[in-house]
Amino acid sequence: MADLREALDALLADVPPARLTESVRRLIEDYRSGRPADEPLIRTMVDATAYAAYRMPATHAAVLAALGQLPPIEPRSQVDLGGGTGAAVWAARELYGPIEATVLDQVPEALKLGARIAKDQDIAWQEWRLGEPVPAADLVTVSYVLTELDEAAQQALVAEAAAAARLAVVLIEPGTPPGYRRMLTARDQLIAAGWHVAAPCPHQLACGMTGRDWCHFAARVNRSALHRRLKDASLGYEDEKYTFVAALRTKDGAPGRIVRHPAFRKGLVTLQVCQKDTSVGPALVSKREGPLYKAARDAEWGDPWPPH
């Protein structure tokens, strides 16, 4: 993230925050509304710059965290559908190294700004609309895009992502109940197309979350001074809540998944774990269990459990 932060700081150093504030407020309202967009949320270069300052660090953190929950893979190419200014490419390269990357988006201003942020990095920036051909790649990412589409367009986008991916497809949405429901629908679609869910689910069956609960995770984002000003925030960090599904061509996944922050008491760790039998409930690990207890104390929300 340090490299992306430095690139953003360099880009935004001479941009007065007042120029971005109105666009940031509109983007926040649009993103939080959950309504399908009648037109692209990013419409001008000011919008694109506001988006980069306001959303790019959080999107990067969520994508990086989601990719980190996959089993070890070695993608050599990536296509980011609806990738805007390229946050998912920064995340994938941070994890996998300088893989060949293509960012597809319908907003030319976002692509131009993404290229400016990336500078001399070898990334292809291509204007694209749903229904147009998608180049094949080992890894296809779609982050925070489905929320902008109606149901038919969501299904079409997931189908295009699945058809283009050779190794893995990763879909990420806001960690809200509506975002979770979109992920369940996309998950069913991927399974029907022959993909195997690798994360976060440890199974291919119906989700075991019931009642008012929903599957989501959190990624810590350190805010820059400009980020705090634009969001009128006082804390130096925020926790980006996200939900996701990652699918592979091969059957390889976690034995179970920690789906909430671990709870600690003296000599006891309580983990909420999604299990292979679809149950979701507490796993108690006591100090008497030695190495497993130490692993439980080091475990975090989103980690596989038990550890490999």
Side-chain angles (χ1 to χ4, degrees), residues 196-242:
H196 303 282
V197 176
C201 316
H203 57 78
Q204 311 299 305
L205 305 174
C207 179
M209 291 282 190
T210 58
R212 299 174 62 183
D213 205 357
W214 70 97
C215 185
H216 67 288
F217 303 89
R220 178 61 55 91
V221 183
N222 292 321
R223 290 169 169 159
S224 67
L226 176 59
H227 198 180
R228 291 196 300 272
R229 287 199 299 272
L230 289 175
K231 299 191 74 171
D232 194 24
S234 57
L235 293 177
Y237 66 90
E238 64 184 57
D239 288 323
E240 173 68 10
K241 302 292 180 61
Y242 68 96

Side-chain angles (χ1 to χ4, degrees), residues 162-177:
R166 290 189 288 253
L167 179 63
V169 57
V170 180
L171 312 174
I172 302 168
E173 283 289 289
T176 60

Side-chain angles (χ1 to χ4, degrees), residues 78 89 93 98-103 118-125:
Q78 176 189 11
V89 170
R93 288 188 167 197
I99 61 178
E100 178 185 339
T102 300
V103 180
K119 291 187 177 179
D120 298 328
Q121 294 190 53
D122 186 18
I123 301 172
W125 305 87

Side-chain angles (χ1 to χ4, degrees), residues 27-225:
L27 287 170
I28 291 175
E29 181 180 348
D30 288 343
Y31 275 109
R32 289 179 177 174
S33 73
R35 299 185 300 269
D38 296 328
E39 58 181 322
L41 299 185
I42 298 174
R43 302 162 194 166
T44 66
M45 185 56 74
V46 172
D47 285 348
T49 306
Y51 171 85
Y54 152 59
R55 280 299 308 167
M56 203 172 175
T59 300
H60 168 274
V63 176
L64 183 62
L67 293 176
Q69 293 191 34
L70 269 71
I73 59 174
E74 296 182 357
R76 297 189 176 183
S77 58
Q78 176 189 11
V79 164
D80 189 23
L81 286 176
T85 53
V89 170
W90 284 86
R93 288 188 167 197
E94 186 170 329
L95 190 61
Y96 302 122
I99 61 178
E100 178 185 339
T102 300
V103 180
L104 303 180
D105 200 276
Q106 65 176 327
V107 181
E109 290 80 5
L111 297 170
K112 291 174 185 175
L113 187 68
R116 285 175 56 194
I117 296 169
K119 291 187 177 179
D120 298 328
Q121 294 190 53
D122 186 18
I123 301 172
W125 305 87
Q126 181 179 330
E127 196 169 342
W128 172 88
R129 284 171 173 76
L130 185 61
E132 296 178 349
V134 177
D138 293 340
L139 170 65
V140 174
T141 50
V142 183
S143 52
Y144 298 92
V145 180
L146 298 181
T147 186
E148 301 177 24
L149 306 175
D150 60 31
E151 291 186 8
Q154 290 173 26
Q155 293 178 8
L157 184 60
V158 172
E160 294 205 15
R166 290 189 288 253
L167 179 63
V169 57
V170 180
L171 312 174
I172 302 168
E173 283 289 289
T176 60
Y180 164 64
R181 290 193 291 271
R182 286 191 291 272
M183 283 297 93
L184 288 182
T185 300
R187 179 183 183 274
D188 289 343
Q189 188 176 347
L190 290 172
I191 292 173
W195 287 84
H196 303 282
V197 176
C201 316
H203 57 78
Q204 311 299 305
L205 305 174
C207 179
M209 291 282 190
T210 58
R212 299 174 62 183
D213 205 357
W214 70 97
C215 185
H216 67 288
F217 303 89
R220 178 61 55 91
V221 183
N222 292 321
R223 290 169 169 159
S224 67

Side-chain angles (χ1 to χ4, degrees), residues 280-297:
V280 181
L284 306 181
V285 187
S286 73
K287 194 172 183 178
R288 292 192 300 271
E289 295 177 79
L292 192 63
Y293 174 73
K294 183 179 185 302
R297 287 192 60 83

